[in-house]
Amino acid sequence: MTNDFGDDSGEKLVDWMIRIGQDVGEAAMVASGERLASAFKRARGDCENISGGEIESSPGAPEWAKLDMAEFQEIEDYAGIKGIIEAKLRAHAVDSAWFVEPATGREHLLFRVADAREVWLSFDELS
């Protein structure tokens, strides 16, 4: 098939198409990686804003915190990324849960305020 033109132009065209496909795939991989790293960085920043149990608990202090996962939801294969996050949190002995807001479809990662430092470390390691 590649020599249907009587010369090697068909083969060169196929080679070019393969190279372009690889370049586009590489560019998509780099872009997705940068988006994921940015999402992990934002999540770490959000965790820094949570006390992490360093402040004495008071009767009205929240026990649970939530991270908005909207930035992660926009990345391809969110379900796979979510599984990776869950595994890393388990490795750090963090009890967590996922909650989807019915009205918006936005998902949140719920975890104990006392585990905020471990959540931060988990996202730091993943980034």
Side-chain angles (χ1 to χ4, degrees):
M1 180 178 112
T2 59
N3 62 1
D4 287 349
F5 300 105
D7 56 26
D8 64 349
S9 62
E11 184 175 339
K12 288 182 180 183
L13 181 59
V14 169
D15 290 343
W16 174 84
M17 289 172 26
I18 290 170
R19 189 177 68 252
I20 293 300
Q22 289 171 337
D23 290 348
V24 169
E26 181 181 349
M29 182 179 67
V30 168
S32 291
E34 288 173 353
R35 289 179 67 197
L36 187 58
S38 173
F40 283 130
K41 182 178 180 180
R42 183 206 41 84
R44 285 192 330 261
D46 290 348
C47 287
E48 287 175 347
N49 295 328
I50 300 168
S51 73
E54 295 173 5
I55 299 172
E56 283 187 40
S57 9
S58 61
E63 286 186 50
W64 291 85
K66 69 179 183 178
L67 286 179
D68 185 349
M69 301 303 286
E71 195 171 349
F72 289 95
Q73 283 181 278
E74 295 172 0
I75 300 171
E76 188 175 337
D77 191 22
Y78 171 61
I81 293 168
K82 194 170 144 179
I84 292 166
I85 292 169
E86 288 173 340
K88 182 56 78 173
L89 292 174
R90 276 193 307 275
H92 280 270
V94 173
D95 289 327
S96 62
W98 299 88
F99 173 75
V100 178
E101 290 182 32
T104 64
R106 291 177 80 155
E107 190 161 27
H108 298 275
L109 172 65
L110 306 175
F111 58 92
R112 294 188 186 282
V113 171
D115 291 335
R117 177 74 179 146
E118 294 302 316
V119 174
W120 185 93
L121 286 171
S122 297
F123 283 108
D124 186 52
E125 289 172 9
L126 289 169
S127 69

